[in-house]
Amino acid sequence: MGAATKAPRGRMDKRQAILAAAFAEFAARGYAQAGVDEVAAAAGVAKATVYNHFGDKETLLREAIAASAEQATAKNLAAVERLVDTGGDLRPVLEDVGLRLIQCYCDEDSWALRRLLYAELAHLPDLLEIVQVRAAERVQRALADRLARLALAGRLGVTDPDAAVEHLSALLTGPLEARARWGTRRLPVKEMREVAAAAVDAFLTLYGRK
Amino acid sequence: MGAATKAPRGRMDKRQAILAAAFAEFAARGYAQAGVDEVAAAAGVAKATVYNHFGDKETLLREAIAASAEQATAKNLAAVERLVDTGGDLRPVLEDVGLRLIQCYCDEDSWALRRLLYAELAHLPDLLEIVQVRAAERVQRALADRLARLALAGRLGVTDPDAAVEHLSALLTGPLEARARWGTRRLPVKEMREVAAAAVDAFLTLYGRK
DNA sequence: ATGTTTTTAGACTCATGAGTCTAGTTCTGA
DNA sequence: TCAGAACTAGACTCATGAGTCTAAAAACAT
């Protein structure tokens, strides 16, 4: 009973359907342009039900974003999990993890989430905390932990894991904005693999075992 | 007479004032939430004048974004101009240019422009071309040109200037999103300098003269 | 079985804001 | 000096969409 956000009202299946529909609608049209009627219709639910569950449009947006961020984080963490010391060459492992992280980043919902975040940040500043706490920071930490372990095992020349994560994720995701045209172009896997390979190559030059 | 976007109507000073006010209003509240009345008031102009100049709200957004992108590009290009071979050590020159590019990136208007772009990309896809053609690509090209020159002069180990630019800008701007909390936190210059130094350090490790 | 909660369709209120219109005023150029 | 364009204040129309309400139906709990 510690959390203040507890006590979800109404039936859970409806709630989920509404959240999914809401995220899709908000992502497609933006907060202001999105219509609660459309959300209800897409969720197969009456408009009053939406209001029974979430109270108002703004709360609906927050909850939809939070849920989406949660999903995105889960995928990202699953990718980071695979960064383990197999005993063999590190490069292919890093490339595999890099590719998976890139795939998370380029996911349709992931672009939509970032778009929404950017779009509404100006008048709903608390969205940042929701997403940052639930998603970005957790992934960064998990990745830093893994790099620290590899460094401790003498497999990497990393002294500051946070700085290394900053560089690695910059190298991985930096090139994607332009290449994917800010989410309007679908990257072929081949191209993702190239970016991952280039990023890992640079990373190993910077942080490879000395 | 080649461009289709020619024939600006009305007095120029009013037009500029409207564009500036419009960008501020759109940036602060988003396209849908922004009010044409507010723009007119902020520009010190009657609403009818706004419509006389731009016809409708959507056109106003496009023109405001285009103008802002133009300004941002000018600043970025000015920074890139400073990347010249002084004969001395390259590192301080790169750090200076890096810092200036970071300052452009962290400019209030620059964050606002990216926010708007992300926000409205979903329903106004042609905004991308406006900004990409006017801003992003031109800066990238200019930077690649400079790197190519330095490489040719034997000052850098760059073989593919475009790839080098991709890495350099990733290293420079990648860490900024998180550190500046997506534009909601003002970065102290000290921190910008750190990021620039770290980026240049990595860049020189990757592309320094062999 | 029966009382409580949730859902439903759809009509309804009400605030907001884009875009128009009018009639009078100021610029500007020839 | 004067005609035509650009500007002004402010009232006006009209579409849109958030949020409410109602009375009836399903779903659920015990």
Side-chain angles (χ1 to χ4, degrees):
Chain A
M1 277 114 183
T5 327
K6 275 293 154 294
R9 315 173 41 117
R11 275 173 39 185
M12 266 323 198
D13 54 338
K14 303 279 178 185
R15 190 184 175 85
Q16 294 307 325
I18 295 168
L19 281 176
F23 183 78
E25 172 77 5
F26 285 135
R29 324 243 312 251
Y31 175 71
Q33 317 263 31
V36 177
D37 297 86
E38 275 67 32
V39 171
V45 140
K47 181 157 70 150
T49 305
V50 175
Y51 281 95
N52 178 41
H53 276 271
F54 298 100
D56 63 4
K57 195 184 175 187
E58 203 176 298
T59 305
L60 180 57
L61 175 71
R62 267 184 249 276
E63 302 262 1
I65 282 186
S68 173
E70 207 72 57
Q71 289 171 20
T73 305
K75 286 187 200 166
N76 273 276
L77 289 178
V80 173
E81 300 280 295
R82 301 177 61 99
L83 182 50
V84 290
D85 191 351
T86 60
D89 190 7
L90 258 191
R91 184 181 297 263
V93 181
L94 281 169
E95 281 179 359
D96 171 65
V97 172
L99 174 61
R100 284 167 194 272
L101 286 175
I102 286 176
Q103 279 171 327
C104 290
Y105 192 91
C106 289
D107 182 88
E108 199 70 43
D109 283 348
S110 187
W111 281 113
L113 182 59
R114 276 192 299 278
R115 263 204 300 271
L116 265 178
L117 185 65
Y118 264 94
E120 312 305 337
L121 212 47
H123 57 102
L124 301 177
D126 61 304
L127 285 183
L128 184 57
E129 245 164 325
I130 297 178
V131 172
Q132 187 148 354
V133 171
R134 279 179 208 246
E137 282 182 358
R138 270 164 68 195
V139 175
Q140 300 274 312
R141 253 199 304 278
L143 191 48
D145 290 349
R146 296 289 167 142
L147 292 183
R149 269 199 78 171
L150 290 169
L152 197 61
R155 308 294 315 268
L156 283 176
V158 168
T159 56
D160 181 347
D162 292 317
V165 167
E166 208 174 31
H167 279 168
L168 179 55
S169 41
L171 288 166
L172 281 171
T173 62
L176 297 178
E177 316 269 289
R179 285 181 187 245
R181 309 201 142 197
W182 286 265
T184 61
R185 180 183 156 236
R186 232 185 167 48
L187 275 195
V189 180
K190 184 175 188 302
E191 200 169 338
M192 295 185 193
R193 223 182 288 275
E194 285 171 21
V195 174
V200 168
D201 193 59
F203 181 76
L204 284 176
T205 305
L206 295 171
Y207 296 101
R209 179 155 150 244
K210 293 297 155 15
Chain B
M1 286 104 189
T5 326
K6 276 294 155 292
R9 316 171 40 111
R11 275 173 37 183
M12 266 321 197
D13 53 338
K14 303 279 177 182
R15 189 183 176 86
Q16 294 307 323
I18 295 168
L19 281 175
F23 183 78
E25 172 78 5
F26 285 135
R29 323 241 316 248
Y31 175 69
Q33 318 263 31
V36 177
D37 297 87
E38 274 69 31
V39 172
V45 140
K47 183 155 72 149
T49 304
V50 175
Y51 281 96
N52 178 42
H53 276 272
F54 298 102
D56 63 4
K57 196 184 174 186
E58 204 176 298
T59 305
L60 180 57
L61 175 71
R62 267 185 250 275
E63 303 263 2
I65 283 186
S68 173
E70 207 71 57
Q71 288 172 19
T73 304
K75 287 188 200 166
N76 274 276
L77 290 178
V80 172
E81 299 282 294
R82 301 177 61 99
L83 183 51
V84 289
D85 191 351
T86 60
D89 191 6
L90 215 50
R91 183 181 298 263
V93 180
L94 280 169
E95 281 179 0
D96 171 67
V97 172
L99 175 61
R100 284 167 193 272
L101 286 174
I102 286 176
Q103 280 171 326
C104 290
Y105 193 90
C106 288
D107 183 86
E108 200 69 43
D109 284 348
S110 185
W111 281 111
L113 182 59
R114 278 192 297 279
R115 264 204 299 273
L116 265 178
L117 184 65
Y118 264 94
E120 312 306 337
L121 212 47
H123 56 102
L124 300 177
D126 61 304
L127 285 183
L128 184 57
E129 246 163 325
I130 296 177
V131 173
Q132 187 146 355
V133 171
R134 280 180 207 246
E137 282 181 358
R138 268 164 68 193
V139 174
Q140 300 273 312
R141 252 198 305 278
L143 191 47
D145 289 349
R146 296 287 166 145
L147 292 183
R149 268 200 78 172
L150 290 168
L152 198 61
R155 308 294 315 267
L156 283 175
V158 168
T159 56
D160 180 348
D162 293 316
V165 167
E166 206 172 33
H167 280 169
L168 179 56
S169 43
L171 288 166
L172 282 171
T173 62
L176 298 179
E177 316 268 288
R179 286 180 186 245
R181 307 202 144 199
W182 285 266
T184 62
R185 180 184 157 236
R186 226 177 171 57
L187 273 195
V189 180
K190 185 176 187 301
E191 200 169 338
M192 295 186 192
R193 224 183 286 276
E194 285 171 23
V195 174
V200 168
D201 193 59
F203 182 75
L204 284 176
T205 305
L206 294 170
Y207 296 101
R209 178 153 151 247
K210 292 295 148 31

